[in-house]
């Protein structure tokens, strides 16, 4: 049994391990190649987050999904490069919108250079992803375009907030379905599709990725409050300090509005105040860690991960299916 990929995923078959490791190494080389430019500064900016590392969760899912067809098919690795380039591009843009200073343990591109460089570098990565995508055929282009539309729609929905009368929690789940679920769904879809898997398998792995993506983001929401050291390189409470809505906070607000308990209202008021002071942020984190809203967010994370696992039922038994099931367990473990 060997540990590979994000979250210490254990692979119990040597052939599968070799395929995954070889595939991820090829993706890494492909990312460096795709981020090279004749302009040295563009190369430096475009490779800034590539070289900072990351979980490579989406390429891993592409590799595992390809096991249900021909994992050596020529489109598998380029498809994995496309989804990771797209993800990286969104990080450059997200950090500008969030005014983030740190990403993956290094200064964000906007902090190291400026907002214009960060936005344009993200655009450069989108362009390179599109160039690679064009070689995968019109169906792949269509799938990516639809996912990109959903991703941007999710970002816009987050920016404008819920419309009057809309449940903020339902709105938030729509947001992360677009921002996170869409691209992880494409990872499963591309892995199966480019490997030549049956259409039924492609559909199953798309649904699996969608649900796993939502669970993945909800686990991040829990980690931002519950962890001592954030896996993404952010310190705990980063989202709180930046005023980014997350599920535990939305659940707290809903409970405060529904029941009006003084302690809930006091905690909401603290979150709405200035959290720039480290001591005040620590007090807010302590309050949220003790609040039932955090445990409810954990339960919701588990529910989406279990839904992802359930979609796998029709797939043939084997090491690849077991690894996909373990990914569900790994996501839940992060929120534990």
């Amino acid at each position: 049994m060997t540990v590979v990929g994000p979250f210490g995923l254990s692979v119990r078959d040597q052939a599968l391990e070799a395929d995954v490791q070889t595939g991820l190494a090829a993706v890494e080389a492909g990312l460096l190649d795709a981020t090279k430019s004749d302009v040295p500064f563009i190369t430096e900016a475009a490779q800034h987050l590539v070289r900072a590392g990351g979980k490579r969760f989406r390429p891993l899912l592409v590799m595992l999904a390809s096991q249900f067809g021909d994992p050596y098919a020529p489109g598998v690795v380029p498809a994995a490069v496309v989804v990771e380039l797209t993800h990286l591009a969104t990080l450059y843009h997200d950090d500008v919108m969030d005014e983030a200073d740190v990403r993956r343990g290094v200064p964000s591109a906007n902090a190291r250079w400026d907002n214009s460089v960060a936005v344009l570098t993200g655009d450069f990565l989108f362009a390179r992803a599109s160039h690679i995508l064009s070689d995968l055929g019109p169906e792949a282009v269509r799938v990516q375009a639809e996912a990109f539309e959903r991703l941007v729609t999710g970002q816009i929905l987050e920016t404008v907030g819920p419309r009057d009368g809309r449940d903020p929690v339902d709105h938030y789940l729509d947001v992360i379905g677009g921002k996170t679920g869409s691209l992880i769904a494409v990872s499963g879809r591309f892995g199966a599709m480019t490997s030549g898997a049956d259409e039924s398998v492609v559909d199953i792995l798309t649904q699996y990725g969608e649900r796993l993506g939502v669970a993945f983001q909800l686990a991040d929401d829990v980690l931002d409050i519950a962890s001592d050291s954030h896996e993404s390189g952010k310190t705990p409470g980063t989202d709180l300090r930046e005023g980014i809505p997350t599920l535990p906070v939305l659940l707290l607000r809903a409970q405060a509005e529904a029941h009006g308990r003084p302690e809930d209202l006091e905690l909401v008021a603290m979150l709405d105040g200035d959290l720039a002071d480290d001591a005040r942020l620590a007090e807010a984190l302590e309050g949220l860690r003790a609040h039932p809203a955090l445990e409810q967010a954990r339960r919701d994370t588990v529910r989406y991960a279990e839904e992802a696992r359930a979609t796998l039922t029709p797939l043939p038994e084997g090491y690849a299916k077991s690894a996909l099931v373990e990914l569900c367990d790994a996501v839940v473990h992060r929120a534990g």
Side-chain angles (χ1 to χ4, degrees), residues 266-278:
E266 182 180 348
L267 185 53
V268 167
M270 184 182 298
L271 296 178
D272 289 339
D274 184 6
L275 295 179
D277 179 71
D278 287 344

Side-chain angles (χ1 to χ4, degrees), residues 16-189:
L16 176 58
E17 176 205 338
D19 285 348
V20 170
Q21 295 280 26
T22 299
L24 290 177
V27 169
E28 211 63 30
L31 288 171
L32 290 174
D33 186 60
T35 48
K36 288 178 182 174
S37 168
D38 293 337
V39 180
F41 176 76
I42 295 178
T43 301
E44 180 185 7
Q47 292 186 351
H48 178 63
L49 289 185
V50 173
R51 294 187 181 278
K55 294 179 282 289
R56 303 295 189 251
F57 182 78
R58 293 154 189 82
L60 175 64
L61 182 51
V62 174
M63 294 303 134
L64 292 175
S66 73
Q67 293 291 319
F68 296 90
D70 175 10
Y72 310 109
V76 172
V77 168
V81 173
V82 165
V83 294
E84 188 66 10
L85 280 177
T86 304
H87 172 58
L88 287 169
T90 66
L91 298 184
Y92 280 83
H93 288 180
D94 281 353
D95 286 344
V96 171
M97 289 184 286
D98 299 340
E99 299 179 352
D101 294 325
V102 177
R103 171 68 69 174
R104 294 183 171 176
V106 301
S108 61
N110 47 298
R112 178 169 177 178
W113 294 290
D114 59 33
N115 285 349
S116 295
V117 168
V119 169
L120 292 169
T121 302
D123 292 345
F124 177 81
L125 296 181
F126 282 132
R128 285 296 174 89
S130 297
H131 181 76
I132 297 168
L133 187 67
S134 66
D135 290 331
L136 297 178
E139 176 64 9
V141 172
R142 184 188 64 79
V143 168
Q144 174 78 351
E146 290 176 352
F148 191 48
E149 178 184 344
R150 287 190 61 208
L151 195 158
V152 174
T153 299
Q155 185 64 68
I156 293 171
L157 288 174
E158 181 180 64
T159 302
V160 301
R163 65 180 184 271
D164 289 344
R166 181 82 198 279
D167 180 2
V169 172
D170 288 344
H171 172 83
Y172 179 66
L173 292 173
D174 283 347
V175 166
I176 62 176
K179 282 188 61 178
T180 305
S182 62
L183 195 56
I184 294 179
V186 165
S187 300
R189 187 174 191 86

Side-chain angles (χ1 to χ4, degrees), residues 257-334:
E257 184 176 340
H259 305 295
R261 288 186 292 263
E263 60 271 26
D264 292 353
L265 295 171
E266 182 180 348
L267 185 53
V268 167
M270 184 182 298
L271 296 178
D272 289 339
D274 184 6
L275 295 179
D277 179 71
D278 287 344
R280 190 170 176 84
L281 178 64
E283 186 179 354
L285 283 170
E286 182 180 358
L288 276 169
R289 286 167 180 165
H291 197 277
L294 183 61
E295 187 55 38
Q296 179 61 54
R298 284 195 176 99
R299 289 196 296 270
D300 288 340
T301 303
V302 170
R303 176 167 58 85
Y304 275 96
E306 288 179 346
E307 288 178 4
R309 187 204 315 267
T311 64
L312 298 172
T313 301
L315 293 180
E317 298 299 324
Y319 291 114
K321 181 177 179 178
S322 297
L324 292 172
V325 168
E326 187 172 333
L327 269 186
C328 299
D329 296 336
V331 166
V332 169
H333 177 72
R334 294 171 73 227

